[in-house]
Amino acid sequence: MKKSILLLMVVALLIGCATNDEKVVKGNQIFLNFDQAELVINKDVYGHFAEHLGRCVYDGIWVGPDSDIPNYKGYRLDVLEALKELQVPVLRWPGGCFADTYNWKDGVGPRSERPKLVNVFWGGDVEDNSFGTHEFLELCQILGADAYIAANVGSGSVREMIEWIEYMTSDQDIPMANWRRENGREEPWDVKFLGIGNESWGCGGEMTPEFYVNLMRQYSVFARQYGGSDMIRVGCGSHQFYYHWTEVLMREGRNHMEALSLHYYTIPTGDWGIKSEATGFDEDLYFSALRNALRMDELLKGHIEIMDRYDPEGRVELYMDEWGIWTDPEPGTNPAFLHQQNSMRDALIASLTFDIFHRHARRVQMANIAQMVNVLQAMILTDGDRMILTPTYHVFNMYKFNQNATYIPVEITTEKYAFENETIPAITGTASTKDGKVFVGLSNLHASETLTIDVDISGGNANRVLKATILTAPEFNSHNTYDNPNVVAPAEFAGYELTAGNLQVVIPPYSVVTFEME
Ligand code: AHR
């Protein structure tokens, strides 16, 4: 008798657990904490990166004024128009690894007289320096973007950096400013950000953090005293989970920089040696790429925890100045050019990464997608006079509302997307407010299930949907081609119902949906 009572109790307990579990996993809800909305999402989180690498600058942005490809003073018109639409807030240049080989003096003056240069990191091709300081800073002006210059610490000198700053920013009667005038630019430029080297732990000189931090302090002192006195000095930061670098930089260098950088690339396999194809992948690599991209959150928490210890008031900003998915290059292209296709999966990587950046808005004040055109997770691909917009481009466009919007903290209850023995959240999302409007972004990462999400907006003033947009595709590895450029393209979205205080959304697998409401 006692045994059977015990058995009944165990069964009841198990049923109870199952019921509780079901409550936890069933249903997707997002609660918008309007009353906690205070942090601004810096517009620079939507920044870009253009390196002298493969066909990013040459072909991708710059074709020269004599090209048959329609151009404005040498910049491709089709690319310019597409980039203007994105409202690019900041552009980092000239590298990347290239920055630590670059001699800026070779890139000014009459183009036909500029010395050529071997691009040692990216294929060993000879480039003619026809895109230099003037061309870059004019591009920034055309786009309305702030300039972020990476100075050469690896193979340059403090003197070269000082002269570059004087050349760009001085309005005085001194040799460098006068040389700029001779080269056709009377007014100084406003250069807002100056990077002190790039990946100094790797291609930028293979330095230890203990060595680099002293160099950084030295360069930083002179970056402040010549010309661009209010430039934001960006210490070269760590990559991935290399926390010791951040520890040393914050401990010994925090008073010599206004920002510290960090790099994180999503490798679908997790193995730099075999990255895998950009489009010909199955669910295993779809899943693992998303899982690896989601690690951005853990990564930021780790580095921010160190920064908070040395700088609790949050003075030193964190710039994720290279991020994105890195796959195998397209078959038949020069492998050193890092030219890769871009799929619906990559659009999801972009949206979920922005969702994470927004959550860390207190410290993460800039991010630069690698890269702008034709390289890695590009916005735009070009081939001769043809151009296509990638799925990632569309996410940048759908999310641009968030630039300088106030982040609305979100609480998400989500089903799991399980694959083999692992799970990731099926839903990610974000919300913000600006000019009396509310933005909600939702991504369904699941490879096969349509999901219903209840968005609780009861705490705010959002009673009308002004615009609802969806980005989805026939398959999770679908991509745009020159023959079919709109396989993955945004469309108006109707899969929602708005009732008092609740926005119910039915979102197909591998989709991004955005709402603008008032
Ligand atoms: O973005 C491509 C390369 O990746 C950059 O040159 C370098 O900084 C990083 O390793």
Side-chain angles (χ1 to χ4, degrees), residues 378-505:
M379 308 293 106
I380 296 169
L381 303 179
T382 67
D383 177 26
D385 63 355
R386 300 189 296 174
M387 181 206 82
I388 47 174
L389 305 177
T390 65
T392 297
Y393 175 96
H394 295 307
V395 170
F396 270 68
N397 208 14
M398 288 162 70
Y399 264 57
K400 71 186 176 196
F401 176 97
N402 292 295
Q403 295 191 24
N404 284 345
T406 303
Y407 175 58
I408 302 173
V410 292
E411 280 165 47
I412 304 182
T413 308
T414 168
E415 293 177 52
K416 297 280 184 229
Y417 164 26
F419 183 76
E420 295 182 342
N421 296 326
E422 288 184 90
T423 62
I424 57 173
I427 297 291
T428 79
T430 193
S432 68
T433 180
K434 185 166 75 178
D435 303 331
K437 294 182 190 155
V438 171
F439 173 93
V440 177
L442 304 169
S443 299
N444 178 358
L445 307 184
H446 208 290
S448 53
E449 281 186 23
T450 294
L451 299 172
T452 300
I453 311 171
D454 282 303
V455 184
D456 186 331
I457 48 171
S458 56
N461 245 347
N463 310 314
R464 197 160 71 93
V465 173
L466 299 172
K467 193 171 158 193
T469 309
I470 183 165
L471 186 72
T472 191
E475 309 289 342
F476 51 60
N477 59 8
S478 296
H479 56 282
N480 295 332
T481 64
Y482 297 100
D483 293 332
N484 289 302
N486 293 314
V487 175
V488 190
E492 201 177 320
F493 180 61
Y496 65 90
E497 196 181 336
L498 181 63
T499 51
N502 190 62
L503 176 70
Q504 188 169 77
V505 185

Side-chain angles (χ1 to χ4, degrees), residues 213-235:
V213 76
N214 284 326
L215 266 188
M216 190 276 284
R217 290 164 61 131
Q218 182 190 1
Y219 273 74
S220 291
V221 166
F222 297 101
R224 262 294 149 98
Q225 290 183 358
Y226 290 83
S229 59
D230 58 357
M231 273 178 171
I232 293 176
R233 301 164 302 177
V234 187

Side-chain angles (χ1 to χ4, degrees), residues 140-317:
C140 290
Q141 282 197 324
I142 295 168
L143 296 177
D146 283 321
Y148 177 5
I149 294 263
N152 180 345
V153 171
S155 68
S157 67
V158 176
R159 166 60 49 200
E160 277 173 37
M161 182 197 69
I162 290 170
E163 290 180 342
W164 201 3
I165 295 173
E166 287 180 349
Y167 185 94
M168 294 186 288
T169 64
S170 172
D171 62 358
Q172 292 176 295
D173 180 15
I174 55 171
M176 288 300 125
N178 288 336
W179 190 20
R180 180 194 69 231
R181 293 183 184 104
E182 276 166 39
N183 289 334
R185 170 79 188 192
E186 182 60 37
E187 294 299 311
W189 286 286
D190 184 16
V191 177
K192 190 165 175 190
F193 303 97
L194 184 81
I196 313 288
N198 169 76
E199 296 197 349
S200 303
W201 40 263
C203 62
E206 299 201 5
M207 301 172 198
T208 63
E210 291 79 8
F211 179 80
Y212 170 76
V213 76
N214 284 326
L215 266 188
M216 190 276 284
R217 290 164 61 131
Q218 182 190 1
Y219 273 74
S220 291
V221 166
F222 297 101
R224 262 294 149 98
Q225 290 183 358
Y226 290 83
S229 59
D230 58 357
M231 273 178 171
I232 293 176
R233 301 164 302 177
V234 187
C236 165
S238 173
H239 69 124
Q240 321 279 100
F241 298 88
Y242 184 10
Y243 292 126
H244 178 62
W245 185 279
T246 300
E247 180 84 34
V248 174
L249 264 286
M250 287 304 292
R251 191 177 64 219
E252 291 165 35
R254 65 182 180 279
N255 295 329
H256 292 79
M257 58 188 177
E258 286 66 56
L260 179 63
S261 70
L262 179 61
H263 290 176
Y264 181 64
Y265 284 102
T266 296
I267 311 297
T269 55
D271 178 347
W272 283 84
I274 34 163
K275 299 191 188 74
S276 75
E277 289 175 45
T279 52
F281 55 84
D282 294 323
E283 189 174 352
D284 55 344
L285 288 165
Y286 170 77
F287 181 90
S288 60
L290 296 180
R291 180 201 58 205
N292 295 347
L294 285 162
R295 294 197 72 191
M296 178 69 90
D297 191 45
E298 168 196 348
L299 175 83
L300 288 174
K301 279 184 188 145
H303 287 280
I304 290 171
E305 189 269 319
I306 297 167
M307 296 180 81
D308 282 348
R309 254 192 290 123
Y310 291 101
D311 174 35
E313 66 285 1
R315 189 191 65 81
V316 180
E317 302 181 340

